[in-house]
Amino acid sequence: MNHVTVVICNYNYENFLASAIDSALAQDYPATDVMVIDDGSTDGSRAIIEQYGARVRAIFKENGGQVSAYNYAIEILDTEYAIFLDSDDILYPSVVSEVMSRFSTGSWAKVQFRLDVMDGAGAPTGAHVPNTEPPADCGRLLRGGWLYPSPPASGNAYRVSALRRIFPVPEEGINRYGADFYAIYGVVLSGPVATISKSLGSYRVHNAGSGSVSFANSEQLTKAPKAFGMRWAILRNLARARLQIELPPEFHDFSHEKATFCSSVYQAPFASRWRWMLRDSRSYLHAIVANPFWSVKKKLGTLVLSGLCLVPYSPLSDFVVRYISNPLARRRVAGR
């Protein structure tokens, strides 16, 4: 039986950490190891981790950011498979069994699965991510510049040897965070992706209720586009230097483009919304029309919704932006 490590990278999440560790220890797959890397927390995280004793492999390091924690974990992992669980998320008991069953069916570099969305208090919202499944050959599309639909960090199980073809990655400056970007996208340059079409864990969203335009925990809406562009440039350099793969200078991703769309249009004056649509919406519209993962119906629906942002009535425009950007807003409408 192949061993699998659930790696929990933590920084100052004492309120959620025990739930994450408990969910990793509760796996029904006997050969599951649990590693907890604390990245210099200043809250009560260390005491919580130490309570688990030998049941977890505890590592306490100086604060260096999420990228440094991933770099260190991937360097010292002694199993061929790993799940990187965010310390505010949880896994369901069968996830390791199910991903290992899928790994056994082919030479997958990654197996991904859906995550149910819970609010900051841990209550289910009724939403899940992602809402679109990618093809197995995500690497081919990535080489064409398309970022494929993936769950957040906790919804991915990796072949460690594939991760090591990309990691370590630079840790300096703004690149202290976003390690999952390099894992999720870099790994598909080494092999295909398998998708399990059901939820096997829960993803916690902080301060992003149905009335919010944001659906991101780690970065502010206005910072996300800049960070993604920088990470793509770094991934290009890594792919060229380590894999002899040339990625295009620009990438396409609706999640990225909608962040630019929202920061430009949300609560903007009527004239500013029209100006952005006429002058600056080319990349946003391309990410809809040319999207290789979407059906024609979904493309048309998103275009129609986006067009409603041009109406003079600001409350309608702002509602549409929230609906497009935040899955929790969609669940609220569907539940009426």
Side-chain angles (χ1 to χ4, degrees), residues 101-125:
S101 176
R102 187 60 59 88
F103 269 123
S104 70
T105 65
S107 57
W108 309 107
K110 191 189 92 162
V111 174
Q112 67 179 46
F113 47 90
R114 287 191 335 205
L115 295 172
D116 292 325
V117 178
M118 57 183 171
D119 64 19
T125 65

Side-chain angles (χ1 to χ4, degrees), residues 157-195:
Y158 300 99
R159 191 180 296 271
V160 174
S161 57
L163 286 173
R164 285 179 176 153
R165 300 191 70 193
I166 290 293
F167 285 81
V169 301
E171 303 175 7
E172 299 78 17
I174 192 173
N175 208 45
R176 284 168 53 90
Y177 308 102
D180 50 324
F181 178 93
Y182 303 103
I184 288 168
Y185 301 114
V187 77
V188 303
L189 298 174
S190 297
V193 170
T195 299

Side-chain angles (χ1 to χ4, degrees), residues 80-95:
E80 174 59 357
Y81 303 94
I83 296 174
F84 281 78
L85 173 63
D86 284 349
S87 58
D88 57 339
D89 296 341
I90 61 171
L91 299 175
Y92 299 160
S94 67
V95 59

Side-chain angles (χ1 to χ4, degrees), residues 106 138 162 184 198 230 240 280 309:
C138 296
I184 288 168
K198 65 178 179 179
M230 181 227 30
R240 182 186 304 117
D280 303 313
C309 293

Side-chain angles (χ1 to χ4, degrees), residues 79-326:
T79 60
E80 174 59 357
Y81 303 94
I83 296 174
F84 281 78
L85 173 63
D86 284 349
S87 58
D88 57 339
D89 296 341
I90 61 171
L91 299 175
Y92 299 160
S94 67
V95 59
V96 177
S97 294
E98 300 213 31
V99 300
M100 291 309 295
S101 176
R102 187 60 59 88
F103 269 123
S104 70
T105 65
S107 57
W108 309 107
K110 191 189 92 162
V111 174
Q112 67 179 46
F113 47 90
R114 287 191 335 205
L115 295 172
D116 292 325
V117 178
M118 57 183 171
D119 64 19
T125 65
H128 65 262
V129 287
N131 292 291
T132 303
E133 292 187 10
D137 188 12
C138 296
R140 176 182 60 82
L141 291 164
L142 192 75
R143 286 189 286 272
W146 283 96
L147 303 188
Y148 68 94
S150 172
S154 302
N156 302 279
Y158 300 99
R159 191 180 296 271
V160 174
S161 57
L163 286 173
R164 285 179 176 153
R165 300 191 70 193
I166 290 293
F167 285 81
V169 301
E171 303 175 7
E172 299 78 17
I174 192 173
N175 208 45
R176 284 168 53 90
Y177 308 102
D180 50 324
F181 178 93
Y182 303 103
I184 288 168
Y185 301 114
V187 77
V188 303
L189 298 174
S190 297
V193 170
T195 299
I196 297 175
S197 303
K198 65 178 179 179
S199 296
L200 295 174
S202 286
Y203 169 61
R204 192 183 307 269
V205 175
H206 304 274
N207 304 316
S210 60
S212 170
V213 72
S214 177
F215 191 69
N217 288 328
S218 58
E219 294 168 315
Q220 296 178 5
L221 188 64
T222 55
K223 292 183 179 179
K226 179 181 178 181
F228 262 55
M230 181 227 30
R231 289 169 191 152
W232 178 253
I234 292 173
L235 181 60
R236 287 187 72 221
N237 291 334
L238 293 169
R240 182 186 304 117
R242 298 180 185 172
L243 304 176
Q244 291 73 56
I245 292 175
E246 190 66 36
L247 297 176
E250 304 294 333
F251 68 91
H252 311 290
D253 176 58
F254 182 71
S255 294
H256 164 78
E257 295 298 340
K258 76 180 180 182
T260 303
F261 165 72
C262 294
S263 62
S264 303
V265 174
Y266 189 60
Q267 297 182 335
F270 177 63
S272 297
R273 285 181 266 140
W274 269 91
R275 188 179 304 114
W276 185 85
M277 277 291 190
L278 291 172
R279 297 180 180 178
D280 303 313
S281 63
R282 182 177 179 275
S283 294
Y284 173 75
L285 295 176
H286 178 76
I288 298 172
V289 175
N291 197 307
F293 312 108
W294 286 10
S295 66
V296 173
K297 180 180 178 180
K298 184 170 183 177
K299 292 177 183 181
L300 290 175
T302 306
L303 287 172
V304 170
L305 283 171
S306 300
L308 292 176
C309 293
L310 300 177
V311 301
Y313 186 55
S314 295
L316 175 59
S317 173
D318 291 341
F319 169 78
V320 168
V321 173
R322 290 193 299 271
Y323 186 90
I324 290 173
S325 64
N326 188 346

